[in-house]
Amino acid sequence: MGQQREPVVQVRDLTYSIGGRPILDRVSLETHRGEVFGVMGMSGSGKSTLLRNIMGLVRPDSGDIRIEGQSIIGLNERELNRVRVKMGMCFQYSALFDSMTVRENVLFGLRERRDISPSELERKCAEHLEIVGLAGTEDQMPAELSGGMRKRVGIARALITQPSIMLYDEPSAGLDPVMAAVIDRLILRLSADFGTTAIVVTHEVDELFGLADRVMMLYEGRAIVCDTPEALRTSDNQVVRQFVEGAAEGPIEV
Amino acid sequence: MSLRGESPHFSLPGGASLLSATGRQVIAFFSYFGETTRLQLDILVGLVKGRLEYKTTIAEMAFVGVASLPVVAVTMIFSGMVIGYHMAIVTGQLGVSNYAGRVVAETMCRELGPVLVSIVVAARVGSAMAAELGTMKVTEQIDALRAMATSPVDYLALPRWVACGLMVPTLTFVGDIIGVTGGYLMAVLMPELNAGAYWTHIPGTFEAYTLVAGIGKSAVFGIIIAIVGCHQGLTCKMASEEVGRATTRSVVYCIMLIYGANLFLTALIFRG
């Protein structure tokens, strides 16, 4: 239980703006070892930007972000890279390297590992493609894959370095319900078996409630609530209620 | 009529004053200069610290060098022939047609070889670099690299910098030879020129320094192409039309900087 409560990602009063327009406004969160932490919100509410801040891809205006206790604020790119090796990120639009084959994409994170033999690399690649249901696609180019297949290759690529923290940006967008369920089960298995901490960003409420231990809702750049899925389902907050129920009428301004 | 705010003569469309527009351009210039200098320094640090990826570099060298050879050859052979044609007339009028080969060789190796080859490479390779890296930026592939703890400068810019720095001089050397040979073809075709005497003064009075200095200039031009192309790609804004703009800017900036650098380097290298 002590290990379960170990903070892994801590965000304190994170504020981020683009061109003077606030995207995130004093957002705070804390995730623990092995936890699946969900972030939901309308499109443009700052969910993806929150992940990009946590990965250190953008620099916040103010606030603090700690990864396994180490603050990433003020680190240069090379220092950030030493923190990033603990994390994997599944991008919303896959972000596969389109000049490389599926094999080269999946093995990219291991390309400098001289201690792994080519046959072992091949085995790892096949194993991770199998996990995401894409066995035998090693020699295909990303352009030959569907959007859902590209998404799954992106997940395999992120998982191959066995990061202790996984950031998923809309992991099931573009996937059919069966494959979305497979990916959700994979996220849960990684957390249960390997203690991987997952932060899952999505606007798919049902998926997130079936997946996450806790869910935070972002609205207009602010974290308006953070609680268990059960508590959010019965929340008195009108914004949360409208979002969870998917109602057209309510306080959310469209 | 007041000059404070109301006069249309001192305003640009959108209400920006001439002064503030000029100020923005000055800031943009120094900002660009600072960013490209920073990129150059980061590349040098990566090179010194042995972060060069050889496999990528060899692929880039093939793209910059081998794949550019046909267009360089066509450019240089026709340029050599045109210069040979002019020299046939001019040296014939002056009664020194035996020196036509020497003049073509000097022209090629000092100026036309380095500048023309670099312009060709800037149009072909610099634009491709900006387009490729710009597309990677827009499709979040640059972010994916960073998320996987890989420096885009080390992985993308450094191999291109090395490839341009090595292959543009190599192409220039080959282009010089093709250009001078093009001049010789004109000597064979034109009665004003003595083809047999075309080569006479090239090894005799033509200095190896001229050839090496011209190739040295082209190494600088190659680095300019890599820096400008990579910078435009890596700093491309997140919109697909911006990739096109970055590509165009890359070619325009490369050509302007090559001309400017050529003047400076020529004055520095060729004295008297």
Side-chain angles (χ1 to χ4, degrees):
Chain A
M1 189 67 189
Q3 188 195 11
Q4 185 72 18
R5 301 308 300 170
E6 179 189 344
V8 177
V9 177
Q10 295 165 288
V11 176
R12 294 275 152 75
D13 295 326
L14 181 71
T15 299
Y16 178 77
S17 59
I18 298 175
R21 188 169 63 91
I23 308 294
L24 296 171
D25 186 6
R26 288 165 287 157
V27 172
S28 297
L29 65 90
E30 185 171 293
T31 67
H32 304 109
R33 182 76 61 204
E35 182 181 29
V36 177
F37 187 89
V39 181
M40 66 179 190
M42 301 279 288
S43 297
S45 60
K47 305 185 297 294
S48 299
T49 306
L50 176 63
L51 290 191
R52 292 169 62 78
N53 272 277
I54 292 171
M55 186 49 101
L57 298 177
V58 292
R59 294 182 187 276
D61 300 342
S62 62
D64 190 24
I65 301 168
R66 289 179 177 273
I67 307 297
E68 295 184 344
Q70 182 185 1
S71 174
I72 64 167
I73 305 302
L75 297 185
N76 63 33
E77 196 69 9
R78 207 149 290 283
E79 291 166 335
L80 270 174
N81 281 344
R82 283 195 276 275
V83 180
R84 286 178 183 143
V85 293
K86 301 171 185 172
M87 297 190 274
M89 185 162 178
C90 167
F91 285 83
Q92 186 172 1
Y93 300 107
S94 313
L96 297 185
F97 303 126
D98 47 21
S99 60
M100 298 181 190
T101 63
V102 168
R103 176 189 287 105
E104 289 167 331
N105 266 285
V106 173
L107 294 176
F108 189 87
L110 300 177
R111 75 193 190 289
E112 289 180 350
R113 293 280 298 273
R114 302 282 175 254
D115 56 322
I116 306 177
S117 67
S119 59
E120 177 66 6
L121 284 175
E122 193 65 29
R123 191 193 63 72
K124 276 179 176 288
C125 179
E127 178 188 317
H128 281 77
L129 286 174
E130 175 101 42
I131 289 173
V132 294
L134 287 174
T137 58
E138 284 91 336
D139 294 319
Q140 287 187 260
M141 299 299 288
E144 299 169 333
L145 306 176
S146 70
M149 291 165 82
R150 291 164 65 93
K151 176 82 79 176
R152 285 181 278 156
V153 173
I155 293 174
R157 181 178 69 178
L159 290 178
I160 203 154
T161 54
Q162 296 179 315
S164 58
I165 303 160
M166 275 295 295
L167 310 178
Y168 299 92
D169 194 355
E170 305 279 3
S172 61
L175 298 183
D176 58 75
V178 175
M179 195 42 68
V182 169
I183 296 300
D184 290 350
R185 199 171 61 189
L186 175 67
I187 294 169
L188 289 171
R189 203 181 84 199
L190 288 168
S191 296
D193 295 354
F194 304 106
T196 306
T197 304
I199 301 181
V200 183
V201 155
T202 183
H203 54 258
E204 301 283 343
V205 176
D206 289 338
E207 178 201 3
L208 198 56
F209 282 7
L211 188 67
D213 298 306
R214 286 184 302 145
V215 175
M216 181 174 84
M217 179 162 176
L218 283 179
Y219 180 63
E220 295 181 338
R222 290 188 179 186
I224 57 169
V225 66
C226 180
D227 214 328
T228 62
E230 296 75 27
L232 290 184
R233 279 194 194 281
T234 55
S235 174
D236 292 334
N237 187 310
Q238 293 302 308
V239 172
V240 175
R241 183 175 287 253
Q242 183 189 354
F243 189 79
V244 170
E245 293 175 354
E249 301 295 325
I252 297 177
E253 291 175 11
V254 182
Chain B
M1 182 184 283
S2 166
L3 290 179
R4 289 170 60 87
E6 297 120 46
S7 171
H9 305 290
F10 293 91
S11 295
L12 292 175
S17 72
L18 188 60
L19 187 63
S20 67
T22 307
R24 274 199 297 275
Q25 290 301 317
V26 170
I27 291 168
F29 170 78
F30 282 107
S31 172
Y32 180 78
F33 182 74
E35 285 175 16
T36 48
T37 304
R38 173 70 193 269
L39 177 61
Q40 174 66 68
L41 291 175
D42 286 347
I43 287 172
L44 287 175
V45 169
L47 188 67
V48 170
K49 297 206 169 177
R51 296 184 196 132
L52 183 64
E53 300 233 6
Y54 293 99
K55 194 178 159 190
T56 320
T57 306
I58 289 166
E60 286 300 326
M61 285 172 75
F63 176 65
V64 176
V66 180
S68 298
L69 195 53
V71 66
V72 164
V74 169
T75 304
M76 296 311 291
I77 193 117
F78 281 108
S79 301
M81 290 173 80
V82 167
I83 297 296
Y85 178 84
H86 284 299
M87 286 309 124
I89 296 168
V90 173
T91 56
Q93 287 170 348
L94 296 173
V96 289
S97 57
N98 283 355
Y99 282 90
R102 161 85 191 277
V103 177
V104 172
E106 290 276 355
T107 310
M108 280 293 151
C109 296
R110 281 173 180 250
E111 295 301 328
L112 283 188
V115 172
L116 282 182
V117 168
S118 301
I119 298 294
V120 166
V121 175
R124 189 187 162 273
V125 175
S127 59
M129 285 179 186
E132 186 182 358
L133 271 54
T135 304
M136 289 184 74
K137 177 85 183 294
V138 170
T139 55
E140 292 186 314
Q141 293 177 56
I142 302 281
D143 282 341
L145 274 177
R146 294 174 65 208
M148 287 189 282
T150 300
S151 160
V153 172
D154 292 346
Y155 187 74
L156 298 172
L158 178 54
R160 286 164 172 78
W161 187 91
V162 170
C164 283
L166 291 176
M167 295 319 291
V168 174
T170 307
L171 283 171
T172 300
F173 176 67
V174 175
D176 287 346
I177 294 170
I178 294 171
V180 177
T181 307
Y184 174 71
L185 291 178
M186 267 342 259
V188 172
L189 293 171
M190 292 183 71
E192 292 89 340
L193 278 178
N194 179 357
Y198 184 84
W199 300 103
T200 311
H201 293 286
I202 293 179
T205 52
F206 179 80
E207 293 176 9
Y209 176 81
T210 305
L211 178 68
V212 173
I215 290 171
K217 284 202 303 185
S218 69
V220 176
F221 301 157
I223 287 167
I224 288 173
I225 293 166
I227 292 289
V228 171
C230 290
H231 177 263
Q232 286 299 329
L234 291 171
T235 57
C236 178
K237 288 178 188 161
M238 299 293 279
S240 45
E241 71 264 24
E242 288 296 332
V243 177
R245 290 194 186 121
T247 306
T248 306
R249 273 198 302 269
S250 139
V251 177
V252 173
Y253 288 6
C254 276
I255 291 173
M256 289 195 301
L257 285 169
I258 287 169
Y259 287 150
N262 185 48
L263 177 62
F264 174 75
L265 290 171
T266 298
L268 192 73
I269 294 171
F270 296 109
R271 288 171 179 270

